[in-house]
Amino acid sequence: MTNLSRRRLLAVGAGASLAVAVGPVASAFAAPAPVEDDLAYLQLLAVGKLIAIAHLEAVLADPPSAQARRQLGAILADDRAHKAALDAVLAEDAPTTDDWQIAIPKAATGDLRKAAAFAARLDTVLRGVVLDGSGVVEDPRTRILLAQIGASDSQHIAALRLLGRRSPAGPALARRVPVEEAGAYLDRFLVADDPADSLAARLRRIAR
């Protein structure tokens, strides 16, 4: 073993030890405490995760291959973890499937390439919400949560593009997506009994 490779090995070992040491401490940090204007971003992400979960559950009901089942299953597990983290912050205001019927286009569940494209597009919008919120959200701990979700979604997008037989590389500078644009996109997959219960209407109430 050369001196260089030995130093690298020691550095990796030290990093692993540090991760073990700080892991339990990280969970002791104070939870996000969003102010009113922050809530729209949390609501958008939570609704987006509801749609993402419903979509992947539908695709996995009849997965096209073992590889796709593993990859989509891992993304689904992440989306459920994201939703749980958002729900913990939103508490009684967390959106649920009791609020809307989720309508996933049939074309987005049958063919793997189309399913992957739909999921990648949804995650791209949600990542754009995170980017838009990064310069607006006031509570720093809320910004950290959004950044963690956005980083995970970026990995999902690359994996989904590969599943859809596309290049995993995205734009050098990902586009931010304003709240109004994201809300209009997500509303396409939500069915409310009363128009006053639409996502756009909920976001307007939050903004007041």
Side-chain angles (χ1 to χ4, degrees), residues 17-18 42-43 60 66 71 75 102 116 152 157 163 168 172 184 199-200:
S17 299
L18 179 61
L42 297 174
Q43 284 282 349
L60 286 168
Q71 292 181 312
I75 293 173
I102 298 175
S152 179
I157 293 164
L163 270 180
L199 177 59

Side-chain angles (χ1 to χ4, degrees), residues 127-143:
R127 181 181 64 184
V129 170
V130 168
L131 292 173
D132 190 62
S134 65
V136 177
V137 169
E138 293 185 37
D139 176 52
R141 290 161 293 182
T142 299
R143 287 200 301 269

Side-chain angles (χ1 to χ4, degrees), residues 146-164:
L146 297 187
Q148 289 173 313
I149 293 173
S152 179
D153 282 346
S154 289
Q155 294 176 320
H156 295 173
I157 293 164
L160 289 163
R161 287 175 64 89
L162 278 173
L163 270 180

Side-chain angles (χ1 to χ4, degrees), residues 60 63-74 163:
L60 286 168
S65 69
Q67 179 188 15
R69 182 170 61 250
R70 287 192 301 272
Q71 292 181 312
L72 295 177
L163 270 180

